[in-house]
Amino acid sequence: MSTSLLIEQMTIREASRLLSEKQVSSVELTQAVLESIRQKDGEIQAYLTVDEEKSLARARAADEARANGADGDLLGVPVAVKDLINVQGDPCTCASKILSGYTSLYDATVIARLRKDGAVFTGRTNMDEFAMGSSTEHSAYQTTRNPKDLSRVPGGSSGGSAAAVAGGEAIAALGTDTGGSVRQPAAFCGCVGVKPSYGRVSRYGVTAFASSLDQVGPMTKTVEDAAILLQSIAGHDPHDGTTLNEPVPDYLAAVRNASLTGLRIGLPKEYYIDGTDPEVMASIRKAIETCEKAGAEIVDVTLPHTEYAIAVYYIVATAEASANLARFDGVRYGHRAAEPGSVFDLYAKSRAEGFGTEVKRRIILGTYVLSSGYYDAYYGRAQKVRTLIRRDFETAFGQCDVLLTPVAPTAAYRIGEAANDPLKMYLGDVFTVPASLAGLCGASLPCGTTAAGLPIGVQFLAAPFREETLFRASQGFVLASGN
Ligand code: GLN
């Protein structure tokens, strides 16, 4: 078996079995991942940086721990990390020139937790600059290609993580999802992506884009692997006051007990409208049939404020981003312009040189919607409509356990096709942003391919903090569809 084949199929579950049966060491496993990266990343360009020495040192430590009797699903398992999550001593550029050369001073809580469980961090994955985008084309450094068709985008903003997992360059990865950035790239590349409920996972040490929406989520080959990663990273964190202070349920048990029998699956009529690619819709219809045959009850529901979600999201997210990105000023972090004429000039030049076009667009938009005179008309109003969107979901979840929808209106598009048309790209987020605004948890699972072989994803959504239901439904669907 060639090394690349090994990593292409390797899951966390399988890796941990091989490790605990001593059939393979963490060093061997990590070497296999690094070898796959060497072979494939020239073409796919999923990684921004890989530090082989450091990865192997982490693997050696995991092997030693196992030799001393330690065990665990993640002990010695290599994991790739999106380049906006801080890993102490590693670069963290957020795919932006403004953070070029920046090294993290501390571990994000999700990293500290994975580290405690013995995961081996192998490299930093590419993304849209500061997670703003849906195709990873807004990276300041490189264009990641979809491993299933190199002429196409991997989705975004966690496109590097998705491409690494789907392209056989990682066993599993972390991404972040503000308005769809875990779910949509998972769908475009054909892997599993889970966005936890807002407040389930700590944002401490995760570079902020839109603080009321951001969540870290697993990107994996199986639902079970996503449960393993979420089990490790979830839970209350004193460093993040928005995390829920309650015990984390047993997600692996939810996966083991998965079944669709008696599960009420809601189909929101606003998500089944013209405009979605017919091949995508055909796969979604097939997924619904599969669920029904497996004993699920299909219910029609309505989310009447869906049509406002994109507008609300692009007001709230840009407003928060404009405030969060104020810290990149040439003084405290990152790039500083040479020979500024004044302090104002230092800020202006450093930011003009450091940020890319999409980030600037959003800072300008966000500053505008927050400015006095426009605040009430835009930001204040958007917050009110956000409440209506959340209430729509509350009502719907009175009638069903999960919702089933497409992840995106199309499969992966060609590189360059939407890059210069921001509105077109924003509209592609129509099925993912409403759940983000409402703080729901959601999963994206492969559910078929187009005639050209491009992956199609189905989205399951569950009420806030109902990840167990989400895992039950997701794994139930995988088992029923034989995927
Ligand atoms: N595509 C959305 C945006 O550009 C979502 C990004 C994200 O989830 N980070 O804002």
Side-chain angles (χ1 to χ4, degrees):
M1 193 192 295
S2 87
T3 307
S4 55
L5 194 66
L6 181 77
I7 297 307
E8 234 167 88
Q9 289 161 0
M10 184 69 67
T11 60
I12 296 177
R13 171 57 68 228
E14 176 66 0
S16 76
R17 187 183 65 80
L18 294 174
L19 285 164
S20 84
E21 289 174 1
K22 308 230 178 305
Q23 294 195 40
V24 70
S25 69
S26 176
V27 166
E28 286 164 342
L29 202 55
T30 305
Q31 268 164 346
V33 170
L34 295 172
E35 177 56 29
S36 293
I37 297 173
R38 261 183 251 123
Q39 279 175 18
K40 298 171 168 224
D41 210 46
E43 233 168 27
I44 298 177
Q45 304 210 32
Y47 286 88
L48 286 170
T49 41
V50 177
D51 188 330
E52 300 205 351
E53 280 312 303
K54 224 186 236 177
S55 306
L56 289 168
R58 287 167 179 152
R60 273 193 295 277
D63 283 335
E64 246 167 63
R66 274 198 188 267
N68 292 328
D71 202 359
D73 286 341
L74 288 167
L75 182 53
V77 177
V79 174
V81 179
K82 186 177 181 179
D83 199 38
L84 82 176
I85 303 174
N86 284 276
V87 176
Q88 188 178 18
D90 285 5
C92 185
T93 70
C94 303
S96 180
K97 289 269 187 256
I98 210 159
L99 282 171
S100 146
Y102 179 77
T103 301
S104 294
L105 300 174
Y106 66 99
D107 276 344
T109 296
V110 292
I111 295 301
R113 290 186 177 170
L114 287 176
R115 205 190 278 284
K116 190 169 141 270
D117 289 341
V120 172
F121 309 115
T122 45
R124 317 278 310 163
T125 55
N126 196 26
M127 54 186 279
D128 287 299
E129 185 176 1
F130 285 105
M132 297 175 188
S134 310
S135 68
T136 312
E137 291 166 289
H138 297 312
S139 165
Y141 296 104
Q142 66 198 34
T143 305
T144 300
R145 294 169 182 280
N146 190 316
K148 301 283 152 65
D149 176 346
L150 296 172
S151 71
R152 293 179 186 265
V153 301
S157 65
S158 311
S161 291
V165 171
E169 295 187 59
I171 294 173
L174 288 186
T176 60
D177 192 311
T178 301
S181 280
V182 160
R183 289 163 286 162
Q184 184 258 26
F188 276 18
C189 291
C191 55
V192 173
V194 171
K195 181 202 105 66
S197 312
Y198 185 77
R200 181 55 90 191
V201 176
S202 169
R203 291 173 293 110
Y204 179 74
V206 181
T207 312
F209 162 11
S211 308
S212 75
L213 298 157
D214 299 341
Q215 279 291 294
V216 177
M219 307 187 74
T220 56
K221 291 167 193 160
T222 64
V223 173
E224 185 185 24
D225 279 7
I228 293 173
L229 276 180
L230 187 61
Q231 199 79 53
S232 173
I233 64 175
H236 180 244
D237 176 14
H239 292 304
D240 178 356
T242 63
T243 49
L244 182 74
N245 194 356
E246 272 180 33
V248 177
D250 187 344
Y251 298 137
L252 284 159
V255 170
R256 271 194 305 274
N257 301 329
S259 138
L260 294 176
T261 314
L263 193 78
R264 292 170 308 161
I265 298 181
L267 308 181
K269 76 166 194 278
E270 293 77 6
Y271 288 58
Y272 291 84
I273 45 159
D274 288 349
T276 298
D277 180 90
E279 283 188 287
V280 170
M281 223 6 125
S283 279
I284 298 298
R285 295 268 174 220
K286 221 176 104 215
I288 298 168
E289 251 172 57
T290 303
C291 293
E292 210 170 6
K293 278 197 197 126
E297 184 193 332
I298 306 295
V299 256
D300 290 321
V301 297
T302 170
L303 300 166
H305 296 93
T306 301
E307 63 174 306
Y308 305 112
I310 292 277
V312 169
Y313 172 82
Y314 278 95
I315 291 172
V316 172
T318 57
E320 294 183 17
S322 72
N324 278 325
L325 269 57
R327 74 193 66 181
F328 302 103
D329 56 7
V331 178
R332 286 169 291 182
Y333 295 89
H335 174 74
R336 174 178 297 190
E339 298 178 25
S342 64
V343 175
F344 179 81
D345 200 34
L346 167 70
Y347 293 158
K349 270 197 180 149
S350 302
R351 287 165 69 82
E353 290 168 7
F355 289 136
T357 311
E358 181 61 22
V359 173
K360 285 177 188 161
R361 182 180 293 127
R362 295 196 189 203
I363 292 173
I364 292 168
L365 192 58
T367 309
Y368 177 79
V369 299
L370 287 177
S371 59
S372 71
Y374 293 106
Y375 183 98
D376 289 338
Y378 295 109
Y379 186 74
R381 195 134 191 100
Q383 290 293 22
K384 287 184 186 148
V385 182
R386 182 177 186 177
T387 304
L388 298 177
I389 291 170
R390 187 168 46 75
R391 286 196 194 136
D392 282 355
F393 281 110
E394 279 166 13
T395 310
F397 285 122
Q399 299 158 282
C400 63
D401 304 302
V402 294
L403 298 167
L404 186 158
T405 79
V407 179
T410 65
Y413 39 86
R414 287 191 194 285
I415 291 170
E417 206 175 308
N420 298 319
D421 188 344
L423 203 57
K424 183 171 175 188
M425 190 133 10
Y426 298 171
L427 290 173
D429 299 334
V430 58
F431 300 135
T432 49
V433 296
S436 301
L437 290 166
L440 313 182
C441 53
S444 168
L445 311 168
C447 72
T449 53
T450 65
L454 300 172
I456 296 171
V458 60
Q459 173 172 247
F460 283 98
L461 298 172
F465 302 108
R466 293 295 164 84
E467 277 84 359
E468 287 164 282
T469 310
L470 184 69
F471 279 122
R472 175 186 163 200
S474 301
Q475 179 70 357
F477 171 70
V478 171
L479 295 175
S481 59
N483 277 350

